[in-house]
Structures are given as structure tokens and as C-alpha cells.
């Protein structure tokens, strides 16, 4: 679980790093995925490319497009809440790896995430419904490629190779998007450094660790732990960007933190009465 949490922390720094760049957000996302995907692709040499992993690569790229199409219609707050918050639900349903404690903690974490990011503000507009549906589609796509990666890793494929194939393929898909949206901002030192950090740190290293975490962590649990991302982003906003939190947002941050602890702490194994009796008989 530690690797998954570290990955979520790295994802949470992306927003602050992105503020250093004055460019089209879609172009920034494309550059991030191209750089990170190419770095991860170096780990995929000699790996077996399967149709499922290629479909996962398409899903990785599609998630980026759905997410930014959603936030352009709903605003960053609502789009992020719906996309990130729905991910664990879809992941649990697709993987069928969930327990009562996971369900309760995930529900509380999503509520905390919503309170943290939205802060009680409402969004209105004709395109909001379309944006919400796109964000839900993004959450479903994220769940799909997370479950696809977990199945391949649990089936014996090296986690590094799985992430390399999926994100390397996504990098190839997103390269035309980067070209069409204009990569001129990469010629600026600040833009280039920020893009390198977003690609190498918040994508390549983060998903390298996430893949390692999927070796021992159920994918549904990993998806819930990934909700640490908005909490880290909020803390960086407070400490680095001097932002403030409303009481609702602060309460959401606390609720989210408690929920993540509940998911991260291993459940105690119950010893049945019958097992105890059988053990005494064996003696």
C-alpha cells in the first residue's frame, strides 16, 4: 500500500507544478503523458504485448481527453470530484474486490473529496450535465485500465512491463494531440522543467510505483487510496500557494484522511470457534 500512497502524493503535486506553465491545459496533459509514457516504455522491452494491454493504452489516452472535456464544461472542481470520486466505485464493481469496510470507507472518502474540492460551491449551466456524464465516463475508463493492469500483473506479467506497454502506447496516441495543440511553450525553460517533472515525476515514477503496489494491493483498495491525491493538492495549496480552505473543505480534508487510514490499516483475521476447537483436538 505504501507504493500506492506515494504515487498518489506525486499525483497530488501535479496541479501546483502545472501553475508554472502558461499553456493550453490539454497541451500540458499531452506533454505529460508523452514524456512519462516514453520513459515507462523503456521498461517494456521484451515484454509480451497483448490485446488487453493495447486496449488499456487506448483507455489511458481516452481518460485524459474525457477529463479535460469534462472540466471545460463543469469547471475544475466538479469535474475533478466526479472523475476522481467515481473511479474507486467503478474499480470495485469491475474487479469485484470489495468488502463492507471498503464500501463504507470509500463512500466517506468520496464525500470528503467532494467537500474538499467543491467547498459548498455550486455550478450551473447548460453544458454541466454533459460535463458530468463525460467525467463519469472518465472515471469508468480509469477503472478499466486500472483493472486491466491489475489482472495482467496478477497473471504473472511484470508490473514495470505492464505500465510500460500501456503508457508507452498512450504516449504514441497523445503525440499528435501535443503537436496539434502547439508545443511551443516547451521551448521556455520554466515550461520545459515543469513538463519534465510532470512527465517523469507525476507520471513515470508515480505509475511505476502504482504498478508495484498492485502486486500486493487489491485494485479496489488501490483506487480508494489514490483519493489521497486531492488531499495532497489541497495541502500544497495551503502551504505553497497560500490558499485558504472553507470550513466545509477543511472538514472534507479531515474526513478524507480518516477514510484513507481506514482503508490502509489491514483488517484483523477472525479466528472461528470451529477452527479453535479443531486445533485443540489436533493437539
Amino acid at each position: 500500500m505504501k507504493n500506492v500512497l506515494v504515487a498518489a502524493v506525486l499525483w497530488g503535486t501535479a496541479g501546483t507544478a502545472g501553475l508554472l506553465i502558461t499553456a493550453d491545459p490539454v497541451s500540458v496533459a499531452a506533454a505529460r503523458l508523452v514524456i512519462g509514457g516514453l520513459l515507462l516504455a523503456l521498461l517494456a522491452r521484451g515484454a509480451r504485448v497483448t490485446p488487453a494491454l493495447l486496449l488499456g493504452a487506448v483507455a489511458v489516452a481516452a481518460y485524459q481527453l474525457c477529463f479535460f472535456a469534462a472540466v471545460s464544461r463543469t469547471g475544475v472542481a466538479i469535474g475533478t470530484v466526479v472523475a476522481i470520486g467515481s473511479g474507486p466505485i467503478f474499480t470495485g464493481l469491475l474487479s469485484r474486490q470489495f468488502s463492507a469496510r471498503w464500501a463504507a470507507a470509500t463512500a466517506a472518502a468520496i464525500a470528503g473529496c467532494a467537500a474538499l474540492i467543491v467547498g459548498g460551491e455550486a455550478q450551473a449551466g447548460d453544458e454541466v450535465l454533459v460535463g458530468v456524464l463525460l467525467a463519469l465516463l472518465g472515471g469508468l475508463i480509469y477503472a478499466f485500465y486500472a483493472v486491466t493492469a491489475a489482472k495482467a500483473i496478477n497473471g504473472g506479467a511484470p508490473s514495470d512491463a505492464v505500465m510500460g506497454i500501456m503508457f508507452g502506447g498512450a504516449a504514441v496516441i497523445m503525440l499528435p494531440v501535443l503537436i496539434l495543440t502547439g508545443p511551443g511553450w516547451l521551448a521556455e525553460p520554466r515550461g520545459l522543467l515543469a513538463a519534465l517533472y510532470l512527465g517523469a515525476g507525476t507520471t513515470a515514477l508515480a505509475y511505476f510505483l502504482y504498478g508495484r503496489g498492485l502486486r500486493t494491493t487489491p485494485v479496489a483498495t488501490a483506487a480508494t487510496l489514490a483519493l489521497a491525491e486531492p488531499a495532497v493538492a489541497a495541502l500544497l495549496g495551503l502551504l505553497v500557494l497560500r490558499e485558504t480552505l472553507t470550513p466545509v473543505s477543511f472538514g472534507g480534508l479531515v474526513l478524507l484522511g480518516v477514510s484513507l487510514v481506514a482503508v490502509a490499516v489491514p483488517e484483523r483475521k477472525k479466528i472461528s470457534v470451529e477452527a479453535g476447537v479443531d486445533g485443540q483436538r489436533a493437539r
Side-chain angles (χ1 to χ4, degrees):
M1 293 187 184
K2 180 176 67 176
N3 285 331
V4 176
L5 283 173
V6 173
V9 169
L10 288 169
W11 293 330
T13 66
T16 302
L19 291 178
L20 300 175
I21 306 172
T22 54
D24 182 354
V26 176
S27 182
V28 175
R32 173 188 180 186
L33 196 52
V34 168
I35 294 171
L38 291 177
L39 290 174
L40 284 169
L42 297 176
L43 304 175
R45 291 185 299 176
R48 182 186 176 189
V49 180
T50 65
L53 292 181
L54 290 178
L55 192 56
V58 174
V60 170
Y63 171 77
Q64 296 288 328
L65 298 177
C66 281
F67 178 77
F68 283 100
V71 298
S72 68
R73 290 168 171 80
T74 65
V76 175
I78 293 178
T80 302
V81 167
V82 176
I84 294 179
S86 64
I89 298 175
F90 288 127
T91 303
L93 294 176
L94 289 178
S95 66
R96 298 180 182 180
Q97 295 178 356
F98 49 84
S99 62
R101 190 175 77 167
W102 172 86
T106 298
I110 292 170
C113 185
L116 171 65
I117 300 177
V118 177
E121 296 180 1
Q123 180 84 12
D126 296 336
E127 294 190 331
V128 172
L129 177 59
V130 175
V132 169
L133 292 175
L134 285 170
L136 285 172
L137 178 60
L140 178 60
I141 292 172
Y142 163 79
F144 171 78
Y145 76 72
V147 172
T148 299
K151 286 183 178 179
I153 293 169
N154 293 334
S159 62
D160 302 348
V162 169
M163 292 299 170
I165 293 170
M166 289 177 56
F167 281 82
V172 174
I173 296 172
M174 292 298 285
L175 183 58
V177 177
L178 175 60
I179 295 173
L180 290 173
T181 54
W185 56 274
L186 289 170
E188 302 175 4
R190 176 180 292 186
L192 179 60
L193 287 175
L196 288 174
Y197 174 73
L198 288 170
T202 69
T203 303
L205 179 58
Y207 276 98
F208 170 81
L209 293 172
Y210 187 73
R212 293 290 180 97
L214 288 178
R215 295 178 179 179
T216 56
T217 305
V219 65
T221 300
T224 302
L225 291 174
L227 291 176
E229 175 187 349
V232 172
L235 289 175
L236 284 177
L238 288 172
L239 300 175
V240 178
L241 304 177
R242 304 297 182 185
E243 295 177 349
T244 58
L245 286 180
T246 64
V248 173
S249 295
F250 182 78
L253 181 61
V254 174
L255 178 60
L256 179 56
V258 172
S259 303
L260 294 176
V261 171
V263 173
V265 174
E267 295 188 36
R268 294 182 179 180
K269 295 181 179 180
K270 297 181 180 180
I271 302 176
S272 65
V273 176
E274 291 81 2
V277 172
D278 291 341
Q280 291 178 356
R281 289 175 179 173
R283 293 174 188 167

